[in-house]
Each structure stands twice: as C-alpha cells, then as structure tokens.
Amino acid sequence: MRFSALKILKEGLTGNKGWTPHWRDPAPKPAYDAIIIGGGGHGLSTAYYLAKNHGMTNIAVLEKGYIGSGNIGRNTTIVRANYSLEGNSQFYSHSLKLWEGLEQDLNYNAMMSQRGIINLFHSDGQRDAAAKRANMMISQGDDAILLDKTSVRALLPNLNHDNIRFPIYGGLYHKRGGTARHDAVAWGFARGADQRGVDLIQNCEVTGIDIENGVVQGVQTTRGAIRAKKVGMVVAGRSSQVAAMAGMRLPIESHILQAFVSEGLKPCIDHVVTFGMGHMYMSQSDKGGLVFGGDLDFYASYAQRGNLPTAEHVMEAAMCLLPQIGKAKVLRSWGGIMDMTPDGSFIIDKTHIEGFFVNAGWCYGGFKAVPASGYCMAHLMATGQPHEVAKHHRLDRFETGRGLMDEEHRGSQHNLH
Amino acid sequence: MRIACPLCGERDSREFSYKGHALALERPAEDAGVAAWDDYLHNRDNPAGLTQELWFHDMGCASWLVAERNTVTHEFGAVRLAEDVKGAKP
Ligand SMILES: Cc1cc2nc3c(=O)[nH]c(=O)nc-3n(C[C@H](O)[C@H](O)[C@H](O)COP(=O)(O)OP(=O)(O)OC[C@H]3O[C@@H](n4cnc5c(N)ncnc54)[C@H](O)[C@@H]3O)c2cc1C
Ligand SMILES: [Zn+2]
C-alpha cells in the first residue's frame, strides 16, 4: 500500500475501510543472514538501510516489547546538526540531510517540521560560545545565524526578555533544525523495512548470545533460538545487559531523562527554544501542548520515571523564560533510559567477537541520529567497514584516549554529561 | 528519593551529589596496566537492580557515603560511611 493525497481522499469518502496493517506479524524463522536486537528507532533504521542500501532482506529485528515502546516513543523529538567536533560534525550533518528526504524516501508522513531552533544566550561569554558554534556549523556546511536582542524579540515575542538576572542577549538560530513526530519515524522505518522483506518480531526478548570460538552463531530468545552469522545490538538504555550476554562490559551508565507536556494551548512558540541559564528547552506540538524538558536526574536508573527535584528545576526554568506557562497545567510527564558514555558521544563499532556489532551510547541525543545511525550501522554490518561519517565512533576510544568527542568540554568521565 | 545519612538521618536527595558506582573504593594500583585502568575509569556493570554507589552529603555533614540502591525502583538499602567501608576492606 502506498500513501498519497488521493488515497487519503478516497479513504475519507469511503469510511476509512481500506487501510491495511503497516507491517506483518511473522513468527521467527530458525535462521537469518543478520539479526538486529532492539526495535527502537536505530534498530529499525538499521534494518531498513540493510535492505535498501545493501540488499540484505533475509534479516530480523527482535523487539522484546512492541515497536516504539522504548525511547523512540519517549523523546522530545528535536532534530538538529549543531555539533562541532570532528566525527560528530560529519555524522549529524549527514543525519540532517537524510531527515530532509526521509518522508519521500519512506512514503510516510513523519511530520518533519524544520521550524528552526533558537539557542538563547544571556551573557557576553555565552554569545562568544554561540558565535564559535555558529562558525563551526557553517564550516561543516550547515546553517547558523547569530541573532541579536531585537531579532529574538521579534521571533519570540512571548518570552520574558528583560528578566533581571537572565536577560536575553540574543540567540543562535539553526533554521533547518526542528522536530519530527517520533512514533511516525519508528512506524515509517518499520513499514519500509517490512515492505522489503525484513521480519519485525515483537514480544521477542533476546536472553542470550551464542558465541563459539570467538564467532557469533545466533541468539537465544523468549521465542526460541535463532541463528545468524551477524548480530547487531541496538538496544539503547539496555546496552549493558545485552552486552553482558556476550561477556562484554561497556563504557556505559544508564540514566534517567524526563520530559513534560502541558495541556493544549493556542500557538505561542513557533520554534524550538533552549534557555541558556539552567537547562530547559521547549517546543509546541501540533496539538498545542508545550513539550519541554531539561537535564538528566543524574543518578543511574532503569525506572523510566524520574524524581521531583529535576521536575521542579525544569518548571522553574520554564517559568523564568516563559512566565505565562504558569497558567498552564502539566498533563503528562515520563522518563526514558539514556545510555550515557563517558564523553557523551555514541559508539558504532565491531567488537572482538566476529559478527557481533555494537550500536550504543546515544545519551540524550539519539533521536536526531536515527536515520544516520541506521545508515552507518547497516554499512558496517554489511561491509565489515565503518562508514566514513561514523569511523570516529569507536569502542576503544576510551581506552586509547584517541578521538574522544566531548562536546561539552567537561572531561571524559561518567556523570559529567 | 530520601537518603539515610548515618550521621544526619534521613534527608532529601537534593542535599547529596552522586558519584556513580562505588567502584572508586577499588582503585587499581598505579602500575596495574592500561586494561585495568580503562576498566576502572570507563567500563561499568551498570546493573538493573541492586547496586552500591557513592553519594556525597555536600549540603550536610560532607561525608562520602556508600549506599545500596535499586536502580529499577529507586529504593535505598543500607547506607554506610565510605570510610568505614574502605576501612573494613582487607
Ligand atoms: C525524555 C527524552 C527526551 C529526549 N529528547 C531527545 C531529543 O529532543 N532529540 C534527540 O535527538 N534525542 C532525544 N532523546 C534521546 C533519544 O530518544 C534516544 O537516544 C534514542 O531514541 C535511542 O535509540 P532507540 O530509538 O533505538 O531506542 P529505543 O526506542 O529505546 O530502542 C531500544 C529497543 O531495544 C529493546 N530491547 C532492549 N533489550 C532488549 C532485548 N534483550 N531483546 C530485545 N529487545 C530489547 C527495547 O525494548 C527498545 O524498544 C530523548 C530521550 C528521552 C528519554
Ligand atoms: Zn550527613
């Protein structure tokens, strides 16, 4: 089934009876050419690009819950290419370009909205840092504009511009950044992979990884053993547990990140806005809810819900920036498990086990990476060689100290990012 | 979360800062080699369930604490002074 305006019109007039399920619900086969563990955004895009770019269609995605039950359905949907270090710079730039053609490629409405991101700054020092970042973005081939006070006021009239402690000095405007509908991204990749023959197997938890003489043979699951010569683990917050099944310890600590949504309001914020004093960012969804969040809770957690101190901090910051938000009710809040690495950047690499590949360490920024991550992971699994834009994201960079990507310049240590 | 500091009693978690797994009490010897140091600095068991972690009571008595905590439920178990835990090690 292909989606088109005509099809929507026809279905609308005939009671929407002609829509069919977006993907099959197959039982696992005894063997595949490749297995992807984890049906989140990254696992699904890996499967999609393995099929599309490398012609590998005898593959399965094994998901312990349902498609979209992990972080891919829990994030605040921001897409951007404003990273600045060698490695991250090329990768996120590539990802944004893939986002720009994604809906046409998938024939799926992912509600990609390049509404622009404005990072506010509130001091001369922050202005210098924004100017430096803007230059780096431009030199990597992406877009950046440094806005002065007056321009920010014109674009974002509802903010508290003259807060005595944190006056707004200006903003870094990244026009091609924005948001996309997170669930639709998962569904679009799932449908695209399924259409190319990939088996998406839900309610199938991987419980063991079979390795013989240093070579991967397949996996044990709650739905039986499945053989494959290539296995990629793409399980985000659960990376340490799955790696442990292969006898590996990863440089990852799982932390909790919360998000909040207000009741539906009339349009008041057109862009994604980040507050430079205290960690808080915000956008408005198409339903009118203000979607906002802040920093990690900063303790290891698998709870998928956080605690009140972080919620309070985020609310305070939101009030400081947009006082009218105080009248709105928070409808929902939730948390997701973040696979944090010491330097705050991700890992896409082979391992010492032949045929076993790792895709992990997405920290709190893996949504924007979904297309490029799958693209590069598929390239690695199919060819055995890292893709050009992900060749820096090696697993051994912590041990050697070479090629660390510490975007925040805080040091490569757990609990600093 | 509330943390029962052995010196100050049960206090709001906002009074404490977090330092991760209580691994720092198992610092390798200076000449232990690259692999041991890499493992110590970067690699983590990262358990889903009970764990031992270091918390610093910086807005209280300024003690380092070793707390048992469940990473799935956020429930705390025994909280001890790090110096006692370290002193008890052979
Ligand atoms: C509150 C919040 C806000 C965020 N905001 C942003 C943002 O604005 N921009 C941005 O770029 N990023 C953001 N992120 C980060 C982003 O959501 C994640 O980095 C990204 O979704 C992780 O990759 P994934 O989609 O593959 O993960 P997931 O969707 O979590 O996929 C992993 C899957 O693996 C499955 N799995 C685990 N163990 C097993 C097993 N043993 N067997 C089988 N399956 C298994 C899980 O069930 C899960 O479905 C945010 C995250 C959160 C929580
Ligand atoms: Zn105390």
Side-chain angles (χ1 to χ4, degrees):
Chain A
M1 180 184 62
R2 263 194 79 77
F3 292 110
S4 64
L6 197 67
K7 175 93 179 149
I8 291 171
L9 187 70
K10 184 172 156 249
E11 287 299 328
L13 293 174
T14 53
N16 286 307
K17 295 207 180 78
W19 301 117
T20 52
H22 287 195
W23 54 82
R24 298 162 294 134
D25 186 19
K29 294 195 263 178
Y32 290 94
D33 293 340
I35 285 173
I36 316 290
I37 311 173
H42 295 238
L44 295 167
S45 68
T46 301
Y48 175 76
Y49 289 114
L50 271 173
K52 184 187 174 216
N53 294 356
H54 304 281
M56 287 182 66
T57 52
N58 181 29
I59 61 178
V61 176
L62 310 181
E63 165 55 46
K64 73 170 175 184
Y66 58 90
I67 297 293
S69 55
N71 290 329
I72 188 64
R74 291 171 174 265
N75 61 74
T76 43
T77 77
I78 299 166
V79 171
R80 56 186 163 92
N82 59 358
Y83 287 68
S84 52
L85 297 182
E86 174 76 12
N88 282 341
S89 169
Q90 298 93 314
F91 177 86
Y92 288 104
S93 191
H94 180 59
S95 204
L96 185 56
K97 290 188 191 97
L98 289 174
W99 277 108
E100 290 177 323
L102 195 66
E103 294 172 305
Q104 289 70 25
D105 188 31
L106 295 175
N107 174 235
Y108 207 87
N109 181 7
M111 294 166 69
M112 175 69 180
S113 158
Q114 291 182 293
R115 59 185 68 187
I117 298 180
I118 301 178
N119 304 122
L120 300 172
F121 47 80
H122 312 262
S123 68
D124 291 331
Q126 284 193 327
R127 182 194 286 115
D128 290 348
K132 176 180 165 213
R133 181 173 290 265
N135 284 329
M136 287 173 136
M137 289 161 70
I138 290 166
S139 68
Q140 83 193 7
D142 291 310
D143 66 285
I145 299 171
L146 208 60
L147 300 175
D148 62 11
K149 257 186 226 190
T150 336
S151 325
V152 174
R153 204 179 275 267
L155 290 172
L156 298 164
N158 291 316
L159 302 186
N160 182 5
H161 292 265
D162 305 312
N163 182 307
I164 294 190
R165 282 186 68 197
F166 311 124
I168 297 172
Y169 275 39
L172 167 55
Y173 189 15
H174 175 35
K175 274 194 173 172
R176 283 163 61 237
T179 59
R181 165 114 196 256
H182 48 5
D183 307 302
V185 173
W187 300 334
F189 274 116
R191 173 173 166 271
D194 175 85
Q195 282 179 340
R196 285 174 166 77
V198 175
D199 281 358
L200 307 178
I201 300 166
Q202 306 183 61
N203 298 312
C204 180
E205 178 170 355
V206 171
T207 53
I209 295 174
D210 297 331
I211 300 159
E212 265 170 41
N213 302 323
V215 183
V216 83
Q217 306 293 329
V219 296
Q220 298 292 326
T221 78
T222 48
R223 299 178 68 175
I226 308 177
R227 278 176 289 120
K229 286 266 172 272
K230 292 182 179 183
V231 175
M233 56 161 277
V234 195
V235 292
R238 289 279 169 178
S239 295
S240 298
Q241 278 77 39
V242 175
M245 295 173 197
M248 292 172 66
R249 278 177 98 218
L250 294 181
I252 285 179
E253 235 181 45
S254 293
H255 280 249
I256 186 89
L257 181 68
Q258 304 192 55
F260 309 86
V261 174
S262 79
E263 59 188 315
L265 305 168
K266 290 201 169 164
C268 62
I269 293 212
D270 298 336
H271 310 79
V272 178
V273 183
T274 72
F275 184 38
M277 285 294 185
H279 202 94
M280 199 279 297
Y281 59 92
M282 188 186 291
S283 67
Q284 192 165 17
S285 79
D286 290 353
K287 284 190 284 184
L290 290 169
V291 181
F292 57 108
D295 231 331
L296 296 174
D297 271 34
F298 277 114
Y299 48 82
S301 174
Y302 287 88
Q304 290 192 318
R305 67 187 149 74
N307 273 295
L308 291 173
T310 303
E312 185 179 41
H313 173 82
V314 171
M315 302 298 159
E316 282 169 356
M319 282 293 288
C320 182
L321 187 65
L322 183 75
Q324 59 174 260
I325 200 177
K327 300 263 185 201
K329 292 194 173 58
V330 173
L331 279 194
R332 284 177 285 131
S333 77
W334 65 91
I337 312 172
M338 311 283 78
D339 34 338
M340 302 299 299
T341 57
D343 67 353
S345 295
F346 63 90
I347 298 159
I348 296 183
D349 206 352
K350 335 181 207 203
T351 64
H352 67 283
I353 301 160
E354 198 182 317
F356 188 61
F357 302 88
V358 176
N359 176 311
W362 292 99
C363 300
Y364 31 71
F367 179 66
K368 68 183 80 67
V370 163
S373 165
Y375 201 94
C376 296
M377 183 71 175
H379 186 277
L380 177 69
M381 287 183 70
T383 66
Q385 294 305 316
H387 188 275
E388 181 61 25
V389 301
K391 67 178 181 202
H392 296 274
H393 295 85
R394 296 167 60 113
L395 182 54
D396 69 1
R397 67 178 184 270
F398 305 99
E399 182 181 343
T400 63
R402 272 193 295 276
L404 291 167
M405 281 159 279
D406 168 16
E407 289 281 339
E408 292 167 341
H409 318 298
R410 287 188 192 166
S412 177
Q413 235 189 67
H414 286 292
N415 298 307
L416 293 183
H417 296 274
Chain B
M1 294 190 302
R2 291 173 69 79
I3 304 177
C5 172
L7 300 183
C8 312
E10 199 180 80
R11 312 289 304 171
D12 189 319
S13 67
R14 267 176 280 208
E15 290 185 6
F16 301 79
S17 42
Y18 178 73
K19 187 69 187 162
H21 192 262
L23 194 79
L25 301 178
E26 292 152 31
R27 192 181 161 91
E30 263 169 46
D31 56 0
V34 174
W37 274 97
D38 171 45
D39 211 41
Y40 168 72
L41 288 171
H42 306 122
N43 297 330
R44 295 290 178 266
D45 287 343
N46 195 19
L50 284 183
T51 184
Q52 299 281 333
E53 354 185 82
L54 281 173
W55 290 80
F56 179 49
H57 198 181
D58 46 354
M59 275 144 80
C61 62
S63 302
W64 280 98
L65 309 175
V66 176
E68 186 180 53
R69 192 175 64 94
N70 188 320
T71 57
V72 178
T73 61
H74 296 164
E75 201 178 352
F76 277 88
V79 182
R80 292 167 296 165
L81 290 174
E83 57 182 40
D84 293 347
V85 177
K86 199 162 185 183
K89 282 205 186 288

